Amino acid sequence: YKLNSKLYQFNGSFISLLSDYARPTQVIGEGGYMPLYGIMQYEPKNREPVSAMQWNQTKKFFFKKFYETCKKNGITFIVAYSPSYNEESSSIFNEVSLFCKENNIPLLDYYADPLFSKNKDYFIDSVHMNDEGATEYTKTIVKEIRKYL
């Protein structure tokens, strides 16, 4: 019975979402930014090489639809890969990168940029930048985005 409902997937989240709305647990700053403080205190284990991200037909359809809607309405569409700690390559995003190339979409790839990805002081964990890292990344990416506006 429970699998017949499309809402079942949100079962554990619903109460949490409501309680956060009624009584926020973290302060969110201006514009929705929620800073993370601290520095990663461990060295992440060597991960198995990540295979290419699965870009199924549904994701591709909506990504393309979003792009086409932006284009139709004169909105500059830019794709950015944010940094991840100690990554060597952004090849997991090959399908998205190819779509960008085929459609002449600006792609700002910082996923494995050593300026960020090799700097442990910029991360709270292996995938989330802390406030210092996010600030430096923002300064960098703003300069890039301005080139396209």
Side-chain angles (χ1 to χ4, degrees):
Y1 168 75
K2 62 185 177 184
L3 296 179
N4 290 333
S5 170
K6 299 276 189 214
L7 295 175
Y8 181 72
Q9 62 185 329
F10 303 107
N11 193 28
S13 305
F14 187 68
I15 298 298
S16 177
L17 289 171
L18 285 178
S19 66
D20 283 350
Y21 178 73
R23 179 183 38 83
T25 55
Q26 292 185 328
V27 176
I28 297 176
E30 192 173 317
Y33 173 63
M34 187 170 55
L36 299 173
Y37 298 102
I39 296 172
M40 184 169 37
Q41 298 298 316
Y42 62 94
E43 189 62 38
K45 293 179 182 177
N46 289 335
R47 293 180 281 188
E48 293 293 320
V50 180
S51 59
M53 178 186 74
Q54 294 300 312
W55 207 26
N56 66 37
Q57 292 304 311
T58 303
K59 289 178 185 177
K60 190 172 186 175
F61 171 81
F62 283 108
F63 187 85
K64 185 176 179 183
K65 188 171 179 76
F66 185 59
Y67 163 66
E68 289 168 352
T69 300
C70 289
K71 188 175 178 180
K72 179 178 148 187
N73 289 290
I75 299 168
T76 303
F77 189 84
I78 300 171
V79 172
Y81 304 150
S82 59
S84 189
Y85 181 70
N86 211 22
E87 290 295 338
E88 300 293 329
S89 165
S90 60
S91 62
I92 66 166
F93 303 114
N94 280 348
E95 287 189 66
V96 177
S97 300
L98 180 60
F99 181 87
C100 290
K101 185 176 181 179
E102 291 171 349
N103 291 281
N104 202 27
I105 297 169
L107 173 61
L108 310 178
D109 184 358
Y110 287 90
Y111 187 71
D113 186 311
L115 176 66
F116 300 104
S117 70
K118 300 299 181 192
N119 189 341
K120 192 174 182 179
D121 291 342
Y122 282 170
F123 290 86
I124 190 100
D125 61 37
S126 62
V127 293
H128 296 100
M129 298 187 92
N130 61 23
D131 186 57
E132 180 184 359
T135 299
E136 291 305 312
Y137 172 61
T138 299
K139 289 176 187 176
T140 301
I141 201 164
V142 162
K143 291 175 191 172
E144 291 293 311
I145 291 171
R146 284 190 174 139
K147 296 175 185 177
Y148 298 101
L149 302 178

